[in-house]
Amino acid sequence: MWFLCVFYHRLLDYRRPEVEALAELFGAFGGGGGNGGGEGGGGGGWEANPRKWSLEWKLPENHHVDSPFHFVSLPSEEIARNIANRSILVKGIYELWGQGINYEELEKAVREFPDERKLPYLTPESTFRIVVDSFGKVISFEEQNERIQGLSYIPFQGRVDLKNPEHKFWLIETDDYGANNGLPPVVQRTVFFGREVGAADRKLLPTYQLKSRKYLGPTAMDAEMAFLMANQGLAQKGKLVYDPFVGTGSILVAAAHFGAMTMGADIDIRVVRDGRGPDCNVWSNFKQYNLPSPISLLRADNNLPPWRPGLKEVFDAIICDPPYGVRAGGRKSGGRKLLKGAVGPYTVPEEKRFDHIPSTAPYSLAECVHDLLDLSARMLVMGGRLVFFYPVVREDGVTNNTQFPEHPCFTLIASCEQILSFRYSRILLTMVKTGLYTAEIEESAKKQHLEFKENHLKWLEDGNLRSAVFSPAESQMASLKLERDSKPKYRGKYV
Amino acid sequence: MRLLTHNMLSSNIRGVVNGFPLGIEAEKVVEREVELSAEFLRGVFPKIEWGALVAGARALGHPDLLPGEADASMLASDDFLRRFHRALLQLHVEEGALVCPETGRRFPINKGIPNMLLHEDEV
């Protein structure tokens, strides 16, 4: 069934993947689902062949892909409603009753829409309201009322209830803009009329906003993004979500909100165990929202994890924001001077061992990502998801095609760019575990680990993202000034 | 630290052949209510090393909480589920240590968080 899906106009790359992830969650692709709590649901239809993770999408005629208006095919209204209600970026999913380039065409289309699909929602016992909405323009209150009066050809028989109607109808208008005003190049004016099936609950955002979070760190994940990550990871009741770079727990808070059990680790014990006091730590973040605390928090090094040999396929999702060395540098154990070759191997004397704080060394992005992929390949269940941010450097304000990390156990199903500055973006990668963690893969990972250890310095120099982001920009400023006038006004992915 | 966590951890000090299960020195144990999820328990059961879980429950002061052996068919029983849930998720070591079975090296547990970081000479 085709539905009109209207998005909030932001985080453009994240919109369709979120809907597709939630479609998987609610059983659109067959297999375990329903409301996500099905017995033995596991990876959701894992046994079904062939595996698919994407939906069919269409654009309205003459609309650019960045337009907020999309048509999506979903198996049922119930699934559409579940997806919309749990999403963050879907402004509404509607059963389209008609569309047109003007109101005459719209009327014709709505009249032609089959009566048996319209009448059940126009009964005398029902309550309804009509919302007039627009994209990229303002419609005054008087004009809105005029438009509503103009719909009198639709036989509404129910009672109007503005606060809590059973049925909500939307009349949405957008004009033709070209590429001005920072809006997408929608070339043609369009008017839509439809019945609302579901909509995002944006009230989540002010509730969870970082502004009022008890315990924050410099890289705490913004609430909206944390919810998007939790949706990409299919966080739900009965599932176990792990964050190997937990920090203040901002990502786990979102997963816990959706009912998942959570677990986290961090190499910095002060962040995880102490926080800033008894009322200002990771536990207080969960208590603040009445969410169950993580079932486990530990201090561990992702480079030398403490898992028992043979342990595998434990987590349903691993959702994290690894340190890429721009705002927070990663660390790994092993003694920084030792790895640099500045000192020979040493033993910590017995009497000093008790509260010895081990020296940690810088952790390059390449090694960090390698370890994350290895950990995930081993510890995720089949069909489980790895969701993480990957930084990319932009050249002259353009993100060129980047090579994303790959691993034989994983299939990349989504990559969503968020432009952070002229110099760099971060890309949210969603990978599904589609291959078993074999002995060969384990061996090859061990070899790579040793390679990183032996060539520690070389990896640090090559992977220096921080200087690329923060170095002085004299040469770039000159070319910027020349280009400023010719740059298009369309904001694209800066939204 | 819960026994679920304890069941997953081992001493990975270089040279140690079998670092699992870690011994538990429980100085302060508390019990906290966690909502029981049968689906979660059934999913996690196959991953659990039962012997280590029983030893852990004993170390935390509950030697009779769990049967010595268990198999998946017992998950159908509500009583078993409740005991399993209590041992796995409700008992907490707030202060204490995990002990490597081969070297005796202690991994401290403070405020419920085990510190599994290895020293420079253990790597």
Side-chain angles (χ1 to χ4, degrees), chain B residues 24-29 59-60 93 95-97:
Chain B
I24 305 181
E25 274 171 26
E27 275 155 47
K28 181 169 167 217
V29 179
L60 266 50
V93 179
E95 302 287 326

Side-chain angles (χ1 to χ4, degrees), chain A residues 36-47:
Chain A
E39 286 293 325
W46 180 243
E47 296 75 33

Side-chain angles (χ1 to χ4, degrees), chain A residues 295-296 305-306 308 313 346 348, chain B residues 7-8 10 12 47 120-121:
Chain A
I295 52 172
S296 177
R308 66 170 154 86
E313 299 185 5
Y346 56 82
V348 182
Chain B
N7 209 271
M8 295 169 66
S10 81
N12 291 338
K47 322 277 167 57
E120 300 88 310
D121 50 3

Side-chain angles (χ1 to χ4, degrees), chain A residues 53-73:
Chain A
W53 293 282
S54 57
L55 296 167
E56 245 191 291
W57 295 88
K58 283 200 305 229
L59 283 169
E61 213 178 307
N62 290 322
H63 276 232
H64 183 273
V65 74
D66 289 350
S67 158
F69 303 98
H70 294 239
F71 293 114
V72 66
S73 172

Side-chain angles (χ1 to χ4, degrees), chain A residues 37 237 261 267 272-274 294-299 305-308 313 346-348 353 356 359, chain B residues 2 4-5 7-10 12 20 35 39-40 47 49 110-111 113-117 119-122:
Chain A
K237 214 163 185 324
M261 310 210 67
I267 199 172
V272 135
R273 179 193 65 190
D274 307 325
I295 52 172
S296 177
L297 281 181
L298 42 134
R299 181 197 198 185
W307 313 123
R308 66 170 154 86
E313 299 185 5
Y346 56 82
T347 318
V348 182
R353 287 198 98 93
H356 174 66
S359 161
Chain B
R2 293 176 160 92
L4 171 61
T5 315
N7 209 271
M8 295 169 66
L9 298 177
S10 81
N12 291 338
F20 176 81
E35 195 190 325
E39 187 197 342
F40 174 73
K47 322 277 167 57
E49 271 284 328
N110 301 116
K111 297 191 196 164
I113 297 184
N115 181 349
M116 304 306 298
L117 216 68
H119 296 154
E120 300 88 310
D121 50 3
E122 296 169 329

Side-chain angles (χ1 to χ4, degrees), chain A residues 414-440:
Chain A
S415 64
C416 312
E417 182 183 12
Q418 182 184 26
I419 298 177
L420 297 174
S421 78
F422 190 73
R423 309 283 190 86
Y424 90 121
S425 316
R426 62 180 179 181
I427 312 220
L428 186 67
L429 298 176
T430 307
M431 301 188 174
V432 180
K433 179 171 167 183
T434 48
L436 285 169
Y437 189 67
T438 62
E440 289 88 33

